[in-house]
Amino acid sequence: MRARPEGVGEGDVRLALAEGWRIDAAAMRYAAVGGGGYHWVVRDACGEPWFVTVDDLDDKAWLGHNRPAVMAGLRSRMEMALALRREADLEFVVAPIPGGDGATVRPVGPRYAVAVFPFLGGTAGHFGEVLPAAERAALVDMLAALHGSARHGSARHGSARHGSARHGSTLAGAPVAAIGLAQREALDAALRDLGQPWRAGPFAEPVRALLAAAADRVRRLLEIFDQQAEVVRARESVITHGEPHSGNVMRVGSRLMLIDWDTVGLGPPERDLWWVIDQAGAASRRYADLTGRAVDPAGLAWYRLRWALDDISIFVNQLRTEHRRTTDTEHAWLALKETVAGLTALRCPPMSPPASRSAGGRSAGSPSAGNC
């Protein structure tokens, strides 16, 4: 986040660090990086650096619809990242550092949560950055390792059944990644209310005009999204990062590291792969060779569609409700315009349901129509 959090100051963060991690914060520097939380680089009395993240529980709708649920969801995902690092030996996972009581996340007032991470002396990527071929291949290798960390053929999205996977305890604790959109109800309400002025803030009316012009397209894409969602839900699940884009890749010496694990969860491999694989090609073949699993182009397209619609739902909700002009709301408005403009380029191939056998031995089911 570019702006600092409202209602929590550095004194609150210092107290949480002292109580939870016994870190005496001698120096704090606010780091206006990323888009999912508020960050500080902290040095303790001995000069040891730490990377501290404060998350707004009102701004993580994919984790839950109230603060206690979001807090629980955030905690489970931080614990999952820690388990992947410790139990599955995935050294590229940048996991939180547990506090003195073992907790990975602690509350800071009623609205915020704090977590502590190792300070990495490296360079973070940027969202939208095209990775060089060698780094792209390395990221595919990392995702293959992640997806194989607790794989079991009977696991299905939304109902993880556990077997004799190598890291069974990791799989048993894995949260399920949401299929639906984070602010679907808000987006549906906005589409129904386009005929009335929106007066909640400086961007409300521009958002209404933008959404009204694209309303038919958005409704059609939502229809396709809904038609294909159950097919996706029934597919094999693995542990996924959720957002392994270039902005969540850090270069530390000769290594690549993955940060921001608050989206980790069980889901089809394509939930991650669409970020690094376009269609059949070298990256797709590399992943298949490493995992024995073919990449589904239709799944890649569906998750690309989901990302666009999810962003629209979040930005519309943010700018349709009470807000002020800040660097963050300006960013949301620009991102919404860019996302809506990109809807015309989306393609959604038909998706075949998971193979099942009828009594006669033939595959049952038929592809789900859905051409954007």
Side-chain angles (χ1 to χ4, degrees):
M1 293 291 189
R2 293 153 182 79
R4 293 177 181 245
E6 297 179 355
V8 62
E10 289 189 353
D12 302 306
V13 179
R14 288 177 187 271
L15 181 60
L17 294 177
E19 291 180 345
W21 288 266
R22 298 175 184 171
I23 295 175
D24 179 11
M28 298 181 66
R29 176 176 60 83
Y30 185 69
V33 295
Y38 305 93
H39 309 289
W40 281 266
V41 176
V42 173
R43 290 189 180 274
D44 62 22
C46 298
E48 182 78 13
W50 311 83
F51 192 78
V52 176
T53 294
V54 172
D55 285 306
D56 185 347
L57 301 178
D58 291 342
D59 193 36
K60 292 187 176 292
W62 70 91
L63 297 177
H65 293 291
N66 56 56
R67 290 174 183 176
V70 173
M71 186 68 177
L74 183 60
R75 182 177 289 114
S76 72
R77 282 153 180 82
M78 292 300 97
E79 290 172 353
M80 187 77 252
L82 189 62
L84 288 168
R85 175 84 184 197
R86 291 181 171 179
E87 296 178 26
D89 300 323
L90 299 182
E91 295 185 354
F92 57 81
V93 176
V94 181
I97 298 169
D101 60 357
T104 55
V105 183
R106 290 179 64 90
V108 184
R111 179 177 169 181
Y112 295 95
V114 63
V116 177
F117 297 86
F119 180 82
L120 302 178
T123 305
H126 302 284
F127 183 82
E129 174 186 356
V130 177
L131 296 178
E135 292 186 350
R136 194 180 182 92
L139 183 53
V140 170
D141 293 355
M142 291 157 64
L143 294 177
L146 173 64
H147 296 172
S149 63
R151 183 185 177 191
H152 184 255
S154 64
R156 288 290 183 266
H157 194 81
S159 58
R161 294 189 290 272
H162 315 309
S164 56
R166 177 185 171 193
H167 303 292
S169 62
T170 301
L171 176 58
V176 176
I179 283 285
L181 308 181
Q183 295 289 355
R184 176 62 183 270
E185 291 183 4
L187 179 56
D188 287 341
L191 287 167
R192 291 193 301 266
D193 196 30
L194 292 172
Q196 302 294 327
W198 296 356
R199 306 189 187 282
F203 294 106
E205 271 294 276
V207 167
R208 184 177 72 89
L210 179 69
L211 188 60
D216 289 344
R217 177 71 172 164
V218 172
R219 290 189 181 101
R220 174 58 181 151
L221 291 174
L222 286 170
E223 180 183 355
I224 293 169
F225 173 83
D226 292 339
Q227 288 172 352
Q228 298 181 348
E230 289 307 311
V231 177
V232 174
R233 197 185 305 276
R235 293 192 167 174
E236 178 192 18
S237 289
V238 297
I239 296 178
T240 61
H241 177 282
E243 296 185 7
H245 52 69
S246 51
N248 284 333
V249 172
M250 282 203 70
R251 302 171 179 92
V252 182
S254 60
R255 298 179 300 157
L256 293 185
M257 309 287 283
L258 267 177
I259 62 175
D260 284 3
W261 288 84
D262 57 359
T263 53
V264 68
L266 287 170
E270 287 75 18
R271 179 176 186 248
D272 283 341
L273 296 177
W274 78 269
W275 290 103
V276 293
I277 296 175
D278 292 328
Q279 293 293 338
S284 181
R285 291 192 297 273
R286 185 182 187 92
Y287 181 83
D289 289 344
L290 289 168
T291 64
R293 182 192 295 110
V295 177
D296 176 20
L300 300 179
W302 188 87
Y303 271 101
R304 189 171 290 109
L305 169 64
R306 186 194 179 280
W307 176 264
L309 293 175
D310 200 47
D311 265 4
I312 290 172
S313 79
I314 291 169
F315 293 139
V316 166
N317 180 67
Q318 179 182 359
L319 300 176
R320 185 172 178 252
T321 54
E322 292 292 333
H323 67 276
R324 297 179 292 107
R325 183 182 291 272
T326 67
T327 52
D328 290 325
T329 55
E330 288 174 352
H331 169 76
W333 166 237
L334 293 175
L336 177 61
K337 288 196 294 184
E338 181 179 344
T339 303
V340 170
L343 292 180
T344 55
L346 289 174
R347 294 291 180 270
C348 304
M351 302 182 73
S352 298
S356 60
R357 295 287 174 181
S358 63
R362 297 178 62 85
S363 295
S366 58
S368 298
N371 192 349
C372 296

